[in-house]
Amino acid sequence: GESVGLHLPTLSVQEGDNSIINCAYSNSASDYFIWYKQESGKGPQFIIDIRSNMDKRQGQRVTVLLNKTVKHLSLQIAATQPGDSAVYFCAEFSSGNTPLVFGKGTRLSVIA
Amino acid sequence: GAVVSQHPSWVICKSGTSVKIECRSLDFQATTMFWYRQFPKQSLMLMATSNEGSKATYEQGVEKDKFLINHASLTLSTLTVTSAHPEDSSFYICSASGTGGSTIYFGEGSWLTVV
C-alpha cells in the first residue's frame, strides 16, 4: 500500500469555501488513520486521527470521515484559508510498532 | 514542542562521499524508528524500520549496504548514505513511536543534495 512515482493531484478551492480531500487506503487490517499536512521543505504535520471503531471525528475546522466498507478516508476543511495550502497525506497504521503507510497525497491550493 | 529531532536539516555533499543523518527522540524512548524518503512531488516512501539493538529491516528495493542504519540507543537512530550519488538527493524523514507504538512523531526532515 505505498505510493509510488505519481505526481500529486491538485485541489484548488476559493478562500472561505470548504475543502474535501479524499484518500483510499489499502490494508483492511489497518486500525488507525492519520491525516498529515506537509508544507514545502518541511516534515509532515499531524492534523487529525481516527481509529477504526469510529466513522467520524471532528477537530478545529477539520473533520475526518472513515468508511471501512470501501476503505476510504476523507478530510474536510471548513472555511479554507490561504494557510491551508499544502500537500495533505493520509496514512494508515496497524497497532504496535509498525510503520505508517502513506497515501499518494493531494496538493491543496487556496485561491485568495 | 518537537519530540523528534533530525540533524542536519540541510546537507550538500560530493558524489562518492558518505553522509550521516541523525534522528533523536527528545523526551521519550523509541524502540523503533522508521526512515522515509520523499522525492519532489511524491509521497513518503518507507525505506527501513530501525530497531534498537538489532538489525534494521529494509523495504524491498532499498539497498542495505548503501543506506546503513544504526539504532544504538533508545533515543538515537542514524542513517548513513554511503557513496552518495546525485540520484540519492532527496528529503529524508524519520519517525518514532513511543512506548506501545500508539503515538507517532516525525522529525523535521533532512534535505540531502549530492553534487
Side-chain angles (χ1 to χ4, degrees):
Chain A
E2 295 176 356
S3 318
V4 285
L6 297 178
H7 292 294
L8 299 172
T10 298
L11 173 67
S12 296
V13 298
Q14 291 285 341
E15 181 180 359
D17 287 351
N18 297 333
S19 304
I20 300 176
I21 301 172
N22 296 304
C23 175
Y25 65 93
S26 58
N27 186 355
S28 56
S30 294
D31 56 10
Y32 181 47
F33 305 88
I34 308 173
W35 277 101
Y36 287 95
K37 174 185 180 182
Q38 187 179 28
E39 296 175 330
S40 181
K42 298 182 179 179
Q45 177 185 2
F46 174 91
I47 301 175
I48 192 169
D49 60 356
I50 188 168
R51 297 206 173 270
S52 59
N53 60 353
M54 303 171 68
D55 53 20
K56 181 179 179 179
R57 189 159 189 233
Q58 286 185 293
Q60 188 176 21
R61 280 204 308 121
V62 294
T63 301
V64 55
L65 299 177
L66 173 63
N67 185 330
K68 295 182 288 294
T69 303
V70 295
K71 293 191 286 187
H72 184 267
L73 273 171
S74 68
L75 176 70
Q76 300 177 1
I77 304 174
T80 312
Q81 302 169 0
D84 296 327
S85 293
V87 177
Y88 290 82
F89 294 99
C90 67
E92 58 186 297
F93 181 69
S94 297
S95 299
N97 281 325
T98 57
L100 278 174
V101 176
F102 284 84
K104 295 183 174 63
T106 298
R107 180 177 300 280
L108 176 65
S109 179
V110 181
I111 304 165
Chain B
V3 295
V4 174
S5 176
Q6 270 185 252
H7 177 80
S9 299
W10 302 84
V11 57
I12 301 173
C13 71
K14 290 185 177 180
S15 186
T17 62
S18 296
V19 175
K20 180 187 288 186
I21 301 170
E22 295 184 346
C23 179
R24 294 182 184 273
S25 57
L26 298 182
D27 55 6
F28 68 99
Q29 294 183 331
T31 56
T32 304
M33 291 184 175
F34 304 100
W35 286 96
Y36 295 83
R37 178 170 53 183
Q38 185 179 31
F39 292 109
K41 298 184 179 181
Q42 294 188 22
S43 188
L44 286 79
M45 296 286 293
L46 179 67
M47 298 176 66
T49 302
S50 171
N51 301 299
E52 187 269 335
S54 65
K55 291 182 179 180
T57 305
Y58 290 83
E59 294 299 299
Q60 191 173 8
V62 178
E63 299 174 58
K64 63 179 181 180
D65 294 330
K66 179 171 183 62
F67 298 99
L68 301 180
I69 291 173
N70 187 313
H71 194 156
S73 78
L74 286 170
T75 59
L76 175 64
S77 174
T78 61
L79 169 67
T80 301
V81 183
T82 63
S83 187
H85 290 119
E87 56 264 32
D88 298 324
S89 299
S90 186
F91 190 49
Y92 292 87
I93 307 171
C94 70
S95 73
S97 296
T99 303
S102 61
T103 306
I104 303 153
Y105 304 100
F106 279 90
E108 305 97 327
S110 300
W111 282 103
L112 170 63
T113 301
V114 184
V115 298

